[in-house]
Amino acid sequence: MGRVAYVNGRFVRHSEAAVHIEDRGYQLADAVYEVWAVFGGRLADAPGHFARLKRSLGELRIAAPMSDAALMIVLKETLRRNRVVDGQIYLQVGRGVAARDHAFPNPPVAPSVVITAKPIDLAASEARAAVGVGVVTVPENRWGRCDIKTVGLLPNVLAKQAAREAGAVEAWFVDELGLVTEGASSNAWIIDEHGVLRTRDVQANILRGITRGTLLGLMAREGLKVEERPFSPEEAGRAREAFITGAGTLLLPIVRIDGRPIGAGKVGPVAKRLRQLYIEEARRTAL
Ligand SMILES: Cc1ncc(COP(=O)(O)O)c(C=O)c1O
C-alpha cells in the first residue's frame, strides 16, 4: 500500500492528493498547522497540540473543521492507512477555497483540511542526537504573531536554507536586542555557564512549543534550575550545553554555533538525559 493523505473529507493516494488552485492556504498562507510526533501509532503531547490548534484557529477566526474527537479519529485513521508506528503526522487547516481577495470570504466557506503522515527512522534520529548538530544565527525578520502556527513560513524557509548551506541543521533568529528568539522550526535552549537551563519566555514573539511545555514540567519534576529568560548568541557560545526542541526533532543537542564549539563541542550529559526523559514521557502519555 502506498502513502495516503486525507484531503477535505477523503482519503486519497498521496501522489494524487491536491487542493484547489484558489485554496487560500496556497494563495495567501491563510492557514494554520500542527505537527505531532507519533510513538507506537499514538500522538505525543496530543492535548497540547489540540489546544494550540484551537487557539491558532481562533486568533485567525477560521472555523474549526470538526470536533477534537472527530479530528482524532481522522488523524488515527491516517496513521493506520500509512502504517505509521513511529513518525510524524501533519495537519493543515485553512480558511477554504474562494475567488482570490485578501479579505475573508463572505459568506464564509468550509475550511480546508489536509493530513499527511510519515514514518521516521528512530535509530537515525538517535544517532544524530548522539553526535549533536550545529546552528547558525540569522536576523529576526518574521511578523509579530509567531505565537500563531501559520503556514506563512518564508523567513523560516530562508533561515533553514542558510543553516543548510553553512553545514548546520537549525537557524536561531536573533532580535534587535541581540537575543535569540527561537529556531526556524524549534525552540532554543542553553545550559548557561552557571548550570541554569534557559529558554526564552513565551510573552515574546515566539511559538509556544508544546515539546517545550512538556519539558518544563519534566525539569521541574527533576528539580532542575530553569529560567524562562532570553540569551544572546555570545552566552550560547559560553554555555555548557545547548539544544533545540520540537515535535520534529524531539530534543536535539546543539554542539556548534556559527561554526564555534559550545562547551566541549560535544553532546553534554544534561541534554542527553533530558532527551531520554522526554521520549519516555511522550511515549507513556501518547494518545
Ligand atoms: C518556529 C517554531 N518554534 C518552535 C517549534 C516547536 O514547537 P513544538 O514543540 O510544539 O513542535 C516549532 C515546531 O514546529 C516551530 O516551527
Side-chain angles (χ1 to χ4, degrees):
M1 185 172 67
R3 289 182 66 198
V4 173
Y6 175 88
V7 183
N8 295 325
R10 292 190 307 138
F11 289 99
V12 291
R13 269 213 290 278
H14 186 272
S15 56
E16 287 161 16
V19 294
H20 194 275
I21 55 165
E22 294 211 288
D23 186 283
R24 291 175 62 92
Y26 168 67
Q27 283 189 329
L28 302 163
D30 192 2
V32 303
Y33 72 107
E34 277 298 330
V35 179
W36 288 258
V38 175
F39 293 107
R42 296 186 300 156
L43 279 65
D45 287 326
H49 287 279
F50 275 93
R52 187 173 62 191
L53 172 67
K54 193 167 283 178
R55 181 174 180 281
S56 295
L57 290 170
E59 291 295 312
L60 299 183
R61 293 191 277 150
I62 297 175
M66 59 187 100
S67 69
D68 283 1
L71 184 56
M72 189 57 142
I73 289 169
V74 181
L75 289 165
K76 284 288 184 73
E77 182 60 14
T78 310
L79 290 176
R80 195 189 68 75
R81 289 187 186 227
N82 286 284
R83 298 194 180 145
V84 172
V85 179
D86 295 322
Q88 275 172 27
I89 190 157
Y90 174 88
L91 162 72
Q92 179 169 326
V93 181
R95 199 178 307 277
V97 175
R100 189 175 182 280
D101 177 10
H102 290 61
F104 299 172
N106 188 18
V109 293
S112 308
V113 184
V114 170
I115 304 173
T116 55
K118 63 178 181 189
I120 61 158
D121 181 348
L122 270 187
S125 164
E126 282 305 321
R128 189 163 77 152
V131 181
V133 299
V135 292
V136 294
T137 55
V138 294
E140 178 63 271
N141 59 358
R142 298 174 300 161
W143 75 322
R145 292 305 309 273
C146 295
D147 57 311
I148 307 174
K149 198 166 169 67
T150 80
V151 300
L153 290 172
L154 198 46
N156 310 55
V157 166
L158 297 178
K160 198 70 109 173
Q161 183 60 21
R164 188 75 48 91
E165 287 171 10
V169 161
E170 180 59 301
W172 280 356
F173 291 110
V174 178
D175 69 12
E176 71 287 356
L177 298 176
L179 299 168
V180 173
T181 52
E182 64 181 329
S185 63
S186 59
N187 288 115
W189 300 72
I190 59 169
I191 299 159
D192 72 14
E193 54 198 319
H194 309 293
V196 178
L197 277 153
R198 296 207 359 226
T199 192
R200 190 157 194 151
D201 59 279
V202 292
Q203 307 314 317
N205 185 33
I206 64 167
L207 188 74
R208 298 164 187 194
I210 305 304
T211 318
R212 174 190 182 283
T214 299
L215 266 160
L216 284 172
L218 290 174
M219 288 165 183
R221 195 182 81 190
E222 294 288 300
L224 297 170
K225 191 154 169 34
V226 184
E227 285 178 19
E228 292 183 61
R229 183 159 68 84
F231 55 84
S232 64
E234 294 70 35
E235 284 178 289
R238 293 195 304 271
R240 295 183 188 172
E241 299 182 34
F243 56 91
I244 55 175
T245 58
T249 47
L250 308 174
L251 185 158
L252 185 59
I254 301 298
V255 295
R256 279 181 310 283
I257 180 164
D258 292 328
R260 292 183 304 277
I262 294 180
K266 288 201 237 149
V267 174
V270 179
K272 196 172 162 189
R273 165 113 182 96
L274 286 171
R275 177 177 165 95
Q276 265 175 1
L277 277 180
Y278 174 73
I279 293 175
E280 277 166 26
E281 180 72 3
R283 270 190 193 287
R284 193 180 66 73
T285 57
L287 295 175

